[in-house]
Structure formats: structure tokens, C-alpha cells
Amino acid sequence: MNRESQKDLSKLPIGIFDSGVGGLTVYRALHDRLPNEKFVYLGDTARVPYGTKSLATVERYAIENSQFLASKGIKLLVVACNTASALALPAIRNAIGIDVVGVIGPGARKAVKMTRESENKRIAIIATEATVLSNAYPDSIAETKEPRTDVIQNACPLFVPLAEEGWTAEDETYSIAGKYLSDIKAFGPEVLVLGCTHYPILSKVIGETIGENVTLIDSGEAAAEEVSLLLEEKDLANSEQISYNRGRHLCDDLDHFFVTDAAERFANVAQRFLGVAPSRLEAIELIGMS
Ligand code: DGL
């Protein structure tokens, strides 16, 4: 590709999709790390949750979401949803001719990196049922070939509605976290990967329950670090410096948000998660994408 067209490409937004609102935590991580980039976000709110669905269904939804975002003209796709990253990355890569970054690989690699110096490397993962069943995190950790690494994982499905309800400090949330994390606590991990988009919203409860000597790893933040490196490597980072020209804020009109249902609820939860609702939010139908 010549220099001019590479420069044009670098001005395109980054696509992000999630099963719903949870991916906003990944959007925030990307936005914080890459203030010169614009984002197009799709939340598949009509079909959420993905975490209890089958491989075939998650693949089909993920392909439709990816094709929709590709049709908007993006330079890179970030699959914010851990479940879709665990189950559907190969199918997505087959369906669109754009670089795709999921959250599982970055989260797993960061966990390995952070435990590398220890004698016994104990990594814990919490995620949706489908992500746990897929074994994607342990497989990704195994791919690093780091010796003496032990992994434990547990599904924490109730964390998703608790985060969306904004129950971030209630007694009930602490009690549920205590149950979900008891085996993990007994395992004695050094790090705990938050392998679901919603879990960073509950990081205070999770952190206090598991204990302060366990480091929490946000897979969305890990993905944002890898996206930043990939943009540099591929010469795709936007050099326009929009942040300096006009100021840059979460959910401002440089970023475009789409949902497949219930836009008002999405805006309300965005307000709860990010402290601000998207200024450009549209409800769409994905009919005919695949
Ligand atoms: N976005 C999903 C994930 O990160 C959580 C919500 C769902 O089950 O769809 O796995």
C-alpha cells in the first residue's frame, strides 16, 4: 500500500462490538489509551446475553456484528465481548478482511507476564459460562509455553446483572462474590483475570473479596495495550491529534454508538458505567448482514 492510502486508512475509526453494554468498559480502556482514535461501537442489545449461548449461535451473531461494523469503514475490529472472543474469533477473521483483536489473548498474556517471575505461577480466571466451557483462557495461557503455570477458572453469571443494576457495593453483591470466589481464594492465585466485560465494574467488591495480595487483570485494558502496539506496528495510528485540536471526551460526537434494541436502556447503563451517555446513539436492525 502506498503512503497516501495508508494515511487515509489511519484516519478511519476502530470498530468495537459487544453483546451489549458491558463492552463499554473496553471502549473506555481504548479511549483512555488512544485519545487520537475514533470509535464505532455496536452493542447487540437485542440478543444479549451471549454467555449462556452455544458456539454456533455466538459465531452467527459475531459474524453479523462484524460485517455491520466493517460496512461502516473501520481500520481494525476489537471484539470486546469475552464470550465472542473465546468462541468466534476464527469465524470473524474468516468473514471480514480487517485485523481483528479479541480480549482473551491479551488478558491471558498479561496474566502470564505478571506471574513470570514467581516460583509457582497461579492464575485465576472468572468469566461467563460459555467462556469457561470453551477453555479459551487456559488454552491461551498454555500457548505461551510458560512452565509451572497453574490455572483455575470459575463462571460468575450473576455478576452481569449486578453490574448493570449498579449494585457495586451492596451486601448481596459481597455475599455472591464470596460464594463465587471461595474455591479461587483457596487456590491462592497471584492474579485474577476479569474475563468478562462487566466484571471491572465490580472490581472493588471482587478485589476486597479475593484479598489485596491478588492483582486484578482487566482483559479490556490488556487488549487496549495490544491494540496500541498493533496500530504502531502497522502504521495505522491516527496522527491527526484530534485530542489537541478540540478536546476529547468519552462518548463525545467523534464516537458513534449503535445498538440492536433498547437504546434508552443502553444510554442509562452507559451513564452508570462511564458517567456519561453517548451523544451519537442509534438503534439498528442487523437483518441481511449474513
Ligand atoms: N459481554 C459478555 C462477555 O464479556 C458478557 C455478557 C454476555 O453474557 O453477553 O463475556
Side-chain angles (χ1 to χ4, degrees):
M1 192 179 300
N2 69 35
R3 255 208 146 132
E4 257 333 283
S5 47
Q6 187 72 10
K7 214 169 131 205
D8 289 347
L9 209 58
S10 71
K11 289 186 189 142
L12 293 178
I14 293 172
I16 307 172
F17 89 76
D18 179 49
S19 54
V21 288
L24 290 173
T25 60
V26 182
Y27 160 69
R28 178 176 51 199
L30 286 160
H31 188 282
D32 286 355
R33 188 162 280 274
L34 303 162
N36 281 333
E37 302 298 338
K38 293 170 239 164
F39 301 95
V40 187
Y41 181 105
L42 172 64
D44 192 9
T45 44
R47 304 186 291 194
V48 70
Y50 285 10
T52 46
K53 298 206 166 66
S54 68
L55 170 71
T57 300
V58 173
E59 273 188 347
R60 180 160 55 86
Y61 293 173
I63 289 171
E64 288 171 357
N65 298 340
S66 307
Q67 288 173 335
F68 171 79
L69 286 169
S71 78
K72 295 285 155 200
I74 53 171
K75 61 182 172 186
L76 176 80
L77 175 66
V78 178
V79 181
C81 179
N82 283 257
T83 306
S85 298
L87 271 54
L89 270 197
I92 296 168
R93 289 198 169 114
N94 252 335
I96 58 167
I98 300 169
D99 282 313
V100 181
V101 177
V103 286
I104 304 276
R109 284 188 282 277
K110 189 156 185 197
V112 169
K113 205 166 148 196
M114 290 185 68
T115 51
R116 188 160 283 151
E117 302 307 320
S118 326
E119 186 52 33
N120 290 305
K121 304 162 230 238
R122 291 202 190 96
I123 298 173
I125 319 283
I126 51 173
T128 63
E129 284 170 63
T131 300
V132 168
L133 282 175
S134 76
N135 220 43
Y137 270 106
D139 287 349
S140 216
I141 289 166
E143 265 171 37
T144 66
K145 301 209 179 344
E146 186 68 25
R148 299 186 311 282
T149 302
D150 280 337
V151 182
I152 188 174
Q153 47 174 359
N154 198 22
C156 306
L158 291 173
F159 281 172
V160 169
L162 287 170
E164 291 195 13
E165 280 299 309
W167 284 31
T168 53
E170 269 69 2
D171 291 347
E172 290 82 354
T173 312
Y174 277 96
S175 149
I176 289 166
K179 282 195 179 164
Y180 278 151
L181 299 176
S182 73
D183 286 352
I184 292 183
K185 219 172 161 176
F187 174 76
E190 290 168 85
V191 298
L192 172 62
V193 180
L194 306 178
C196 172
T197 47
H198 290 64
Y199 299 176
I201 302 295
L202 300 179
S203 58
K204 186 170 177 288
V205 176
I206 295 169
E208 285 173 13
T209 306
I210 197 71
E212 59 185 19
N213 46 354
V214 181
T215 306
L216 303 186
I217 294 178
D218 180 332
S219 58
E221 278 174 11
E225 285 166 28
E226 290 202 9
V227 166
S228 163
L229 293 174
L230 187 73
L231 291 179
E232 291 303 328
E233 204 180 285
K234 299 222 158 195
D235 205 11
L236 279 176
N238 185 16
S239 53
E240 280 181 323
Q241 303 218 319
I242 48 180
S243 59
Y244 302 113
N245 292 344
R246 51 165 288 173
R248 185 77 167 103
H249 304 283
L250 275 173
C251 294
D252 67 16
D253 62 1
L254 292 172
D255 298 335
H256 203 160
F257 291 80
F258 295 92
V259 287
T260 51
D261 196 15
E264 205 176 312
R265 182 175 189 277
F266 182 89
N268 290 340
V269 183
Q271 183 75 45
R272 206 172 289 147
F273 279 15
L274 305 177
V276 58
S279 41
R280 287 170 84 194
L281 175 61
E282 263 178 71
I284 48 120
E285 279 189 39
L286 286 176
I287 290 168
M289 286 316 295
S290 63

